[in-house]
Structures are given as C-alpha cells and as structure tokens.
Amino acid sequence: EWAKGIDLIARKLLTALEAEGVTRIQALGAEFSPWEHEAMMHAPSSDDDSGKVTEVFREGYKLGDKVIRPAQVIVGKGQS
C-alpha cells in the first residue's frame, strides 16, 4: 500500500507538470545536441552509434521549447 501511494503521487505530479507544458527530452538513441544534452562521458560503440546518445544518466526536461534541465548522457564514440 505504501509503495502504491508513492507511485500514485509520482504519476499525479508528472501529469500536473505535463499539463503546464513540461515535457521529457527524448535522449536515448538521439543525435547528441549540446543544447539538450550534457555529455558525462564517451563510450566505445559501433560506427552507427557514433555521436548518438547510448545511455541516459538523468532525464532532462523542457518547458515549451526552453530546456529547463539538460539530460545527462553517455555519447557513443565509433571504433575508427
């Protein structure tokens, strides 16, 4: 019951934020953008994933078109 209550509160908070225009930055698999992402490190990856986000440490959020918290990510670095 306790965990269900916490989950319900979290969902209601996210719903309220979305109603005000706050959206999550979709980072995983996206091309790295210094305007939306904060690179924490590079990691070896295939050449196809070079320059793309391979892992997300912390989610980022936008209010309309303005970034209010960039996503902290790992960026792939090709083998070549």
Side-chain angles (χ1 to χ4, degrees):
E1 294 304 313
W2 176 102
K4 288 180 185 178
I6 298 296
D7 187 48
L8 180 62
I9 291 169
R11 282 188 282 148
K12 284 190 174 199
L13 177 61
L14 287 175
T15 302
L17 290 173
E18 288 174 358
E20 294 298 320
V22 175
T23 56
R24 182 178 290 165
I25 295 172
Q26 298 300 322
L28 190 60
E31 195 71 32
F32 176 75
S33 167
W35 305 109
E36 294 183 342
H37 308 125
E38 181 179 357
M40 302 306 291
M41 62 188 293
H42 283 94
S45 68
S46 68
D47 288 334
D48 290 342
D49 288 337
S50 183
K52 293 185 179 179
V53 174
T54 58
E55 190 173 333
V56 178
F57 278 128
R58 183 183 77 181
E59 297 290 340
Y61 295 92
K62 290 174 137 183
L63 178 58
D65 289 335
K66 183 178 179 181
V67 175
I68 55 177
R69 184 173 87 173
Q72 290 183 338
V73 299
I74 294 177
V75 180
K77 183 177 181 181
Q79 300 295 326
S80 356

